[in-house]
Amino acid sequence: MHTFEFIRPADAAAAVATAAQAKTAQQGADVRFLAGGTTLVDLMKLNVETPARVIDVNRLPLDKVEATADGGLKIGATVRNSDLAHHPTVQRDYAVLSQALLSGASAQLRNMATTAGNLLQRTRCMYFRDTAMPCNKREPGTGCPAITGSNRTLAVLGTSEHCIATNPSDMCVAMAALEATIHVQGPKGPRAIPFGDFYLLPGSTPNRETVLEPGDLVTHITLPQARPGSKQVYLKLRDRASYEFALASAAVVITIAGGNVTHARIALGGVGTKPWRSPEAEAALTGKPANAATFRKTGEAAMRHAKPQSENGFKIELAKRCLAHALQIATTG
Ligand SMILES: Cc1cc2nc3c(=O)[nH]c(=O)nc-3n(C[C@H](O)[C@H](O)[C@H](O)COP(=O)(O)OP(=O)(O)OC[C@H]3O[C@@H](n4cnc5c(N)ncnc54)[C@H](O)[C@@H]3O)c2cc1C
Ligand code: SF4
């Protein structure tokens, strides 16, 4: 393992000032924030990440879950995934988030993993994690061996000819459906980024995954007030029942009146290059009867633009069924 300088800043301003000296934004940068370490330290051991300076954010006062004045929720960047999943307000009003968090990793990992770290976890593409292999995301311009190689677990939505890596997060799929906002403190001050604007499609620059700039510290995430009476489900399909990433998952937040869907927010996991909010699915549901035929059409709409690779075509049908089943559970469960 390479050597690095370990820094414990006194406050967020000091953390931002140090991180702002990085040449690039956080992911892949030479100066890095460290939260739970379950992604970063993992990748440092593999020499995929080789920061010269590591800034420990764990002592910053960013570990609270609080109600906001407008009836929503403010979640600090260092709140542990397990604490967030078991928070009474999250369990009552944002059940989809609690379910998504509890479906991820293992109990031990969730005790370490933080809200901001989860947002910024890296892909599990095997070529990305192996420095003996080329990878456009790790080393721009070297190529994407996954396209002609092993791609069973990789993405079918949002891919490019340069990268087809899946975003692996469960939490983020629920955050997308809940229309979260990410709050950042940067060298130029604070800013709020709607969840849908935070992640970038790979395009020709898969090494750049988010809109974060050098020095940007995620301080907290806010959720809008929960919709009264909304039904929420996170359904995750994977190769084994626990300690495994999603092959396909669906986060569903819907409201029904008189047998019809009156409001829907839908996001998919395991199939997209970013946590995949689906306006197509939302349009297919809204105003329609809440029944199996509508749910099947919703799945079709969500996957209409999917592009299979050599080994992952099965994900398209899997994701359709996953979404339809999640809607069925939400409306009957
Ligand atoms: C074996 C294994 C299985 C897993 N299974 C799943 C799964 O099924 N589902 C799932 O969703 N996840 C899974 N994970 C991933 C896990 O959820 C993430 O590793 C975790 O959420 C990362 O959080 P962390 O606090 O440990 O981040 P760290 O490793 O500390 O940091 C991750 C990244 O975030 C950056 N960062 C951290 N805090 C901030 C901040 N405040 N501002 C800006 N940047 C910041 C770091 O610089 C780094 O780039 C698994 C991980 C492992 C090791
Ligand atoms: S899919 Fe992306 S992460 Fe995987 S090898 Fe290709 S460029 Fe690298």
Side-chain angles (χ1 to χ4, degrees), residues 280-293:
E280 296 89 351
E282 293 167 8
L285 270 175
T286 309
K288 306 286 179 350
N291 61 28

Side-chain angles (χ1 to χ4, degrees), residues 32-33 35-40 105 114 117-118 120 170 218 236 244-245:
R32 307 299 296 278
F33 296 123
T38 62
T39 286
L40 185 60
T114 62
N118 197 320
L120 295 165
D170 292 299
V218 174
K236 176 176 178 178
E244 187 55 280
F245 292 89

Side-chain angles (χ1 to χ4, degrees), residues 123 125-128 134-138 143-147 154 162-166 206:
T123 182
C125 173
M126 61 189 269
Y127 304 103
F128 172 76
C135 168
N136 283 331
K137 188 183 276 299
R138 183 167 28 77
C144 174
I147 290 174
L154 299 187
H162 302 283
C163 182
I164 56 169
T166 322

Side-chain angles (χ1 to χ4, degrees), residues 48-177:
V48 171
E49 301 262 22
T50 53
R53 283 184 284 172
V54 171
I55 306 168
D56 181 2
V57 299
N58 287 291
R59 291 192 185 172
L60 302 180
L62 304 173
D63 60 349
K64 302 274 183 308
V65 179
E66 297 160 290
T68 59
D70 60 0
L73 202 65
K74 176 181 175 185
I75 304 162
T78 60
V79 172
R80 305 287 153 177
N81 286 180
S82 45
D83 292 337
L84 186 58
H86 294 293
H87 192 281
T89 308
V90 175
Q91 288 187 323
R92 189 190 61 218
D93 296 339
Y94 305 98
V96 67
L97 178 58
S98 179
Q99 292 168 23
L101 285 162
L102 292 175
S103 77
S106 64
Q108 291 89 342
L109 281 159
R110 294 193 294 269
N111 285 341
M112 289 302 293
T114 62
T115 308
N118 197 320
L119 280 182
L120 295 165
Q121 63 175 286
R122 313 290 313 264
T123 182
R124 310 304 289 195
C125 173
M126 61 189 269
Y127 304 103
F128 172 76
R129 295 171 66 84
D130 182 352
T131 55
M133 300 300 293
C135 168
N136 283 331
K137 188 183 276 299
R138 183 167 28 77
E139 279 183 70
T142 55
C144 174
I147 290 174
T148 52
S150 177
N151 51 46
R152 178 177 177 272
T153 61
L154 299 187
V156 291
L157 289 166
T159 57
S160 76
E161 60 183 307
H162 302 283
C163 182
I164 56 169
T166 322
N167 181 293
S169 173
D170 292 299
M171 180 194 85
C172 293
V173 184
M175 292 281 192

Side-chain angles (χ1 to χ4, degrees), residues 1 4 6 33-49 51 54:
M1 194 163 163
F4 57 90
F6 188 74
F33 296 123
L34 174 75
T38 62
T39 286
L40 185 60
V41 175
D42 226 18
L43 293 174
M44 286 169 71
K45 287 187 204 159
L46 296 170
N47 278 324
V48 171
E49 301 262 22
V54 171

